[in-house]
Amino acid sequence: MKQTKSINTADFDYLRQLVHQHSAVVLDGDKTYLAELHLQPIAEAAGFDTITELIAYMRHQPVSDLHIQAIEALVTNETSFFRDIYPFEALKQLVLPELIKKRRVERSLNIWCAACSHGQEPYSIAILLREYFPLLANWSVQIIASDFSGKVLERAKAGRYNQLEIKRGLPKKFARAIF
């Protein structure tokens, strides 16, 4: 591995602005160590000796695959089944009953799961619908999942998770029923 040089404030501010502008993610000012960790392999793969050289190059180029790689490396892809249970409880208790009532004539429901990362949240919504709203079995239901990162979306589409990912957040009763 080549020598890692600390990212200066101006370069880190450029990265923070780049990430925010292209993903709407706010990168905290105290995360330079993460940028150094995640950008070093990208810098090396692109032929730069340091992250500073990579950033200098990116500053003067139109947004390219290199910029996207850097942004994706800096954006957290935190995900788990039923992550932060409160939104799922709100869906179950308040949002979905109201939507079902309003959409009963059309018998269709579209749900958008933005920033879905590896896909556990949209799959959690599907599980919630199947388990608690069986009347939707005869409806047209679409769960649309999106994310800034094409790489994580590919993983979400595959819907394959290891045992650790399944155990992290997925209640046992659902795991037994599904897997």
Side-chain angles (χ1 to χ4, degrees):
M1 184 182 259
K2 296 180 183 178
Q3 176 186 2
T4 303
K5 183 179 174 188
S6 293
I7 299 172
N8 66 42
T9 302
D11 283 347
F12 189 61
D13 286 345
Y14 165 77
L15 291 172
R16 292 176 67 206
Q17 179 184 4
L18 181 73
V19 166
H20 187 261
Q21 184 178 18
H22 293 278
S23 72
V25 171
V26 176
L27 191 59
D28 291 338
D30 63 348
K31 302 292 184 191
T32 55
Y33 67 96
L34 286 176
E36 291 166 358
L37 177 70
H38 294 292
L39 292 181
Q40 188 62 40
I42 294 170
E44 290 175 10
F48 297 101
D49 288 330
T50 66
I51 298 169
T52 302
E53 290 176 11
L54 169 69
I55 295 168
Y57 174 81
M58 289 181 359
R59 281 180 182 268
H60 301 290
Q61 300 299 317
V63 174
S64 66
D65 286 343
L66 190 59
H67 292 81
I68 300 303
Q69 286 178 40
I71 294 165
E72 287 184 355
L74 295 171
V75 174
T76 302
N77 292 309
E78 177 64 25
T79 186
S80 67
F81 287 100
F82 294 94
R83 180 177 176 210
D84 302 328
I85 193 66
Y86 301 111
F88 293 97
E89 285 299 317
L91 275 172
K92 185 171 99 176
Q93 302 296 329
L94 303 169
V95 177
L96 287 169
E98 188 63 30
L99 283 174
I100 290 168
K101 194 184 308 179
K102 287 182 179 180
R103 305 292 299 180
R104 69 181 176 273
V105 173
E106 295 89 352
R107 297 172 56 91
S108 69
L109 188 61
N110 295 323
I111 299 170
W112 177 31
C113 187
C116 76
S117 192
H118 296 130
Q120 284 97 319
E121 284 91 351
Y123 285 116
S124 297
I125 293 170
I127 293 166
L128 185 124
L129 293 175
R130 190 182 83 185
E131 292 295 316
Y132 297 103
F133 300 94
L135 71 100
L136 295 177
N138 298 321
W139 285 38
S140 171
V141 177
Q142 288 190 58
I143 300 173
I144 301 144
S146 64
D147 196 278
F148 168 79
S149 172
K151 183 171 49 174
V152 298
L153 268 180
E154 286 303 314
R155 179 139 188 256
K157 285 179 193 175
R160 297 181 157 279
Y161 303 100
N162 63 40
Q163 285 300 315
L164 179 63
E165 291 166 324
I166 292 167
K167 289 179 181 178
R168 186 176 174 233
L170 186 61
K172 288 180 184 178
K173 71 178 186 174
F174 295 147
R176 282 192 298 271
I178 297 168
F179 298 102

